[in-house]
């Protein structure tokens, strides 16, 4: 009888130990699941006024490269079915919204795999399945998507603020050489923020100046800090309605900067058909009063 009681106690202890272990495992798995949800699921505004919980983590069956997935031996997926012919995610054939419909400042940056990735909406065909696989995710843009990103990179170029001045200061005269100067041009190069793997760079090509007297635009050297651009006014400005600070009727002269734009991926220049290769700054100007020197004839 004593042996039977001892055996029952041992069995009950084993059951309690197994239950405790199972409970610990369950709590551990639950904690890991909660941690995964906290890292992977974020609340994003995917369209203006539309918010969704979005899984930003790649699944174990996804090729997270976002490229053609060839691995050196050809694509892993069937890229013959339009529009799902842009790139592979594992065996899925996919397309993506490029550029992303979500503004970059709203991307879940803390989960970004690399600076080359963009966060956007992806749709894919899955072999032997009718339903379209879709989700918001990080992808590296495929090569043919670069023109779309080019517009983003182009839009991130910012031209410098500059000022236009002229000499002789204060007032110039009919028939005299009027010299225009620009200040605030920097070193003549502007570099935009990256869009995925793409970066735009602007190099100052020349400066356009409109003297304001209907004579037309003048193309000038890019460095107007040391090299003046000259113009000869052939008429006085006394009939102009714009007045300078001293109340003199003046011609509204203005200038703008013109840049040659190049695009690079990893420092290598790429050609992007359809994307502008020049950038013009906004016009900025000054008022030029033009008088007439009276000559005494004997």
């Amino acid at each position: 009888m004593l042996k039977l009681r001892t055996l029952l106690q041992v069995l009950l202890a084993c059951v309690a130990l197994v239950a405790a272990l199972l409970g610990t495992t369950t709590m551990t798995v639950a904690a890991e699941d909660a941690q995964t949800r906290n890292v992977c699921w974020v609340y994003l505004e995917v369209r203006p006024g539309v918010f969704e919980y979005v899984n930003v983590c790649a699944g174990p069956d996804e090729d997270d490269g976002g490229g053609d997935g060839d691995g050196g031996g050809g694509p892993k997926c069937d890229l013959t079915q339009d529009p799902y012919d842009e790139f592979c995610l594992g065996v899925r054939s996919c397309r993506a919204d490029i550029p992303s419909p979500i503004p970059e400042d709203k991307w879940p940056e803390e989960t970004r795999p690399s600076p080359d990735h963009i966060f956007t909406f992806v749709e894919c065909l899955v072999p032997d399945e009718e339903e379209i696989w879709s989700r918001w995710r990080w992808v590296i843009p495929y090569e043919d998507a670069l023109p779309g990103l080019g517009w983003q990179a182009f839009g991130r170029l910012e031209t410098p603020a500059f000022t236009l001045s002229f000499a002789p200061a204060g007032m110039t005269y009919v028939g005299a050489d009027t010299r225009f100067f620009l200040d605030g041009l920097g070193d003549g190069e502007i570099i935009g923020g990256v869009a995925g793997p793409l970066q735009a760079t602007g190099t100052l090509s020349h400066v356009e100046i409109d003297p304001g007297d209907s004579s037309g635009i003048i193309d000038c050297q890019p460095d107007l800090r040391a090299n003046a651009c000259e113009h000869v006014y052939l008429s006085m400005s006394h009939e102009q309605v714009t007045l300078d600070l001293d109340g003199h009727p003046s011609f509204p002269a203005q200038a703008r900067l013109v840049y040659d734009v190049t695009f690079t991926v990893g420092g290598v220049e790429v050609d992007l058909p359809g994307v502008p290769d020049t950038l013009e700054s906004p016009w900025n100007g000054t008022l030029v009063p033009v008088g007439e020197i009276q000559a005494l004839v004997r």
Side-chain angles (χ1 to χ4, degrees):
M1 187 70 178
L2 182 59
K3 291 183 178 180
L4 180 59
R5 184 181 302 130
T6 302
L7 181 60
L8 288 173
Q9 289 174 343
V10 170
L11 290 175
L12 287 173
C14 290
V15 170
L17 178 61
V18 171
L21 290 174
L22 288 175
T24 302
T25 302
T26 301
M27 287 187 292
T28 301
V29 171
E32 290 176 352
D33 286 346
Q35 184 179 13
T36 299
R37 284 197 299 272
N38 290 337
V39 171
C40 292
W41 290 87
V42 295
Y43 200 50
L44 292 179
E45 186 177 13
V46 296
R47 291 183 299 279
V50 178
F51 293 82
E52 293 180 8
Y53 275 107
V54 174
N55 186 354
V56 297
C57 296
D61 60 339
E62 296 177 44
D63 177 355
D64 199 38
D68 60 10
D70 59 12
K76 299 176 183 178
C77 68
D78 178 9
L79 293 176
T80 62
Q81 301 187 60
D82 181 67
Y84 307 101
D85 57 358
E86 296 175 351
F87 61 95
C88 296
L89 285 178
V91 296
R92 302 179 179 94
S93 53
C94 305
R95 62 157 300 278
D97 290 342
I98 297 177
S100 174
I102 299 180
E104 188 168 351
D105 59 0
K106 295 184 178 180
W107 292 355
E109 284 290 339
E110 64 278 3
T111 62
R112 192 172 195 169
S114 79
D116 290 343
H117 283 73
I118 69 169
F119 191 77
T120 190
F121 188 69
V122 177
E123 293 180 309
C124 303
L125 289 179
V126 183
D128 302 322
E129 293 185 14
E130 293 184 2
E131 186 175 353
I132 300 298
W133 181 93
S134 62
R135 65 180 291 179
W136 295 90
R137 75 183 314 278
W138 292 103
V139 295
I140 295 179
Y142 55 97
E143 183 177 353
D144 291 341
L146 290 181
L149 289 176
W151 284 97
Q152 279 191 349
F154 183 83
R156 291 172 185 167
L157 289 171
E158 294 185 8
T159 57
F162 66 90
T163 57
L164 176 67
S165 61
F166 69 95
M171 177 174 288
T172 188
Y173 298 94
V174 172
D177 289 336
T178 301
R179 294 173 295 159
F180 289 101
F181 298 90
L182 266 68
D183 192 30
L185 300 183
D187 61 3
E189 184 176 77
I190 53 176
I191 299 176
V194 294
L198 197 64
Q199 186 166 56
T201 300
T203 303
L204 186 59
S205 167
H206 61 279
V207 176
E208 294 181 347
I209 292 184
D210 179 358
D213 60 353
S214 302
S215 61
I217 293 176
I218 311 167
D219 286 347
C220 303
Q221 294 293 325
D223 187 359
L224 291 190
R225 293 165 298 186
N227 301 296
C229 193
E230 296 184 347
H231 175 67
V232 176
Y233 286 96
L234 300 180
S235 61
M236 298 173 60
S237 59
H238 66 282
E239 293 183 352
Q240 299 297 307
V241 296
T242 52
L243 306 179
D244 70 0
L245 293 178
D246 294 323
H248 300 129
S250 306
F251 289 116
Q254 54 184 352
R256 68 179 175 187
L257 315 178
V258 182
Y259 290 84
D260 291 329
V261 178
T262 56
F263 299 90
T264 54
V265 174
V268 179
E269 187 172 336
V270 294
D271 182 35
L272 300 181
V275 183
D277 57 5
T278 59
L279 172 66
E280 299 168 345
S281 75
W283 289 98
N284 192 17
T286 188
L287 296 175
V288 181
V290 179
E292 189 173 53
I293 299 176
Q294 300 296 325
L296 179 61
V297 179
R298 293 183 181 274

